[in-house]
Amino acid sequence: MTLETFFAQLWDDYIAMTPQAQRIHDAFIADGESIINDHVAFRTFDRGPITLADLEPHLLGLGYTRYEPYDFAAKKLRAYGYLPPADDQPRVFLSELKCDELSSSAQRIIDALVAQIDPARVATPDVLWAGRLWDAPSFEDYQALMAESEYAAWLAIIGLRANHFTISVNQFRAYDSVEKVLAKVESLGLGINESGGRIKGSPEVLLEQGSTLADRVEFTFAGGQVEKIPSCYYEFAKRYHDADGKLYQGFVAASADKIFESTDIRGDRHAG
């Protein structure tokens, strides 16, 4: 599979879950901007056949190289950033939940989900837009996971797919700051994740980021209960050059910690 095919299919799955993304994409194109994808991000459990170590070979097989590790103690996550084979291709951020740090009851819920996965389904790169590889959980299990980890609850219902794409603000001409981009997005009637501030990071840490609040989609839980839950969101990033004149390639953990909250069903408080 080529990188072009990989990202084309990943994008098709992403916009099906995230209608706002196509609206945002089209609005900037209509204003004469060129859209380059800075990075995509994936979430997974550190259990069963979908651990970070299980999924990483798909990225390496596409020519990516592991760059830097990250740890999010409060959210019970570990992650790696990956650099693409060419500078004009997207970076990747892959995180996993440290399930052992959840309660035994939450671990039982997760173990019951991952036990349903056919290991053969994880053997090819298209697993990264396969969605849920298990039956729909009950709303009660979803709520139990949400009480301990929004990340776990989100993953239990949304499954494996791009959690977000990211527009590179560096490529924009008129919208040459993250704040200008966010203002444009708000003019479309979309909400912004304000957890930790509208803009996460700064030129001093060589990266500024902002994001929308996740779209909501109707989801049918086991037993037939239907609820609207957060799906995916769109991010915007501006990178700065370091003291050696090189464009920063990594991620800032303190900023990423707040970006994660774009999918938090409890995060509506950040929208004002």
Side-chain angles (χ1 to χ4, degrees):
M1 180 180 293
T2 66
L3 264 187
E4 290 72 20
T5 299
F6 177 84
F7 279 103
Q9 297 199 45
L10 198 64
W11 173 260
D12 287 344
D13 175 77
Y14 168 70
I15 58 174
M17 295 292 295
T18 322
Q20 59 166 264
Q22 189 70 63
R23 284 184 61 204
I24 293 168
H25 180 280
D26 292 349
F28 284 115
I29 292 292
D31 282 351
E33 299 288 11
S34 298
I35 293 184
I36 299 296
N37 183 18
D38 181 89
H39 70 272
V40 297
F42 300 95
R43 300 178 176 186
T44 195
F45 295 121
D46 69 347
R47 293 281 173 95
I50 58 166
T51 67
L52 189 156
D54 290 312
L55 299 179
E56 182 184 70
H58 296 312
L59 299 176
L60 303 182
L62 290 167
Y64 279 83
T65 54
R66 187 192 278 185
Y67 185 56
E68 285 182 340
Y70 302 92
D71 186 76
F72 303 90
K75 288 184 169 59
K76 305 176 176 63
L77 308 174
R78 66 174 65 86
Y80 274 100
Y82 297 84
L83 296 183
D87 291 342
D88 61 347
Q89 295 165 330
R91 302 159 189 81
V92 171
F93 187 84
L94 175 59
S95 60
E96 68 178 0
L97 179 67
K98 295 183 276 189
C99 297
D100 286 346
E101 297 186 14
L102 300 181
S103 69
S104 57
S105 58
Q107 290 184 56
R108 281 195 294 273
I109 294 170
I110 294 169
D111 285 340
L113 299 179
V114 300
Q116 300 173 48
I117 300 172
D118 177 1
R121 185 64 188 85
V122 187
T124 53
D126 61 352
V127 71
L128 290 168
W129 59 86
R132 204 176 61 251
L133 299 172
W134 45 80
D135 294 337
S138 68
F139 188 60
E140 291 72 25
D141 283 351
Y142 171 75
Q143 289 178 306
L145 291 176
M146 180 66 74
E148 296 189 40
S149 167
E150 182 276 330
Y151 183 110
W154 184 94
L155 186 53
I157 51 177
I158 302 297
L160 297 180
R161 51 172 37 100
N163 173 258
H164 64 270
F165 273 62
T166 308
I167 289 178
S168 172
V169 180
N170 293 69
Q171 314 303 320
F172 279 4
R173 296 174 299 177
Y175 300 96
D176 58 355
S177 70
V178 175
E179 180 51 48
K180 287 180 182 178
V181 170
L182 296 181
K184 173 66 175 181
V185 170
E186 285 180 310
S187 77
L188 301 176
L190 299 169
I192 300 300
N193 170 9
E194 300 200 13
S195 177
R198 286 167 63 82
I199 299 175
K200 291 81 164 130
S202 66
E204 288 71 32
V205 298
L206 305 180
L207 179 63
E208 290 181 316
Q209 296 166 270
S211 62
T212 65
L213 292 172
D215 264 320
R216 294 296 183 91
V217 297
E218 283 196 346
F219 180 80
T220 303
F221 290 86
Q225 185 168 348
V226 178
E227 299 286 343
K228 276 198 168 184
I229 51 90
S231 58
C232 309
Y233 59 95
Y234 217 165
E235 187 185 326
F236 320 100
K238 184 171 183 178
R239 295 178 179 273
Y240 291 86
H241 292 85
D242 62 20
D244 295 326
K246 295 180 180 178
L247 192 68
Y248 181 65
Q249 295 296 315
F251 300 91
V252 176
S255 300
D257 184 82
K258 298 302 182 185
I259 292 286
F260 276 120
E261 296 180 19
S262 299
T263 58
D264 196 337
I265 197 169
R266 302 159 298 187
D268 288 348
R269 65 185 184 273
H270 304 312

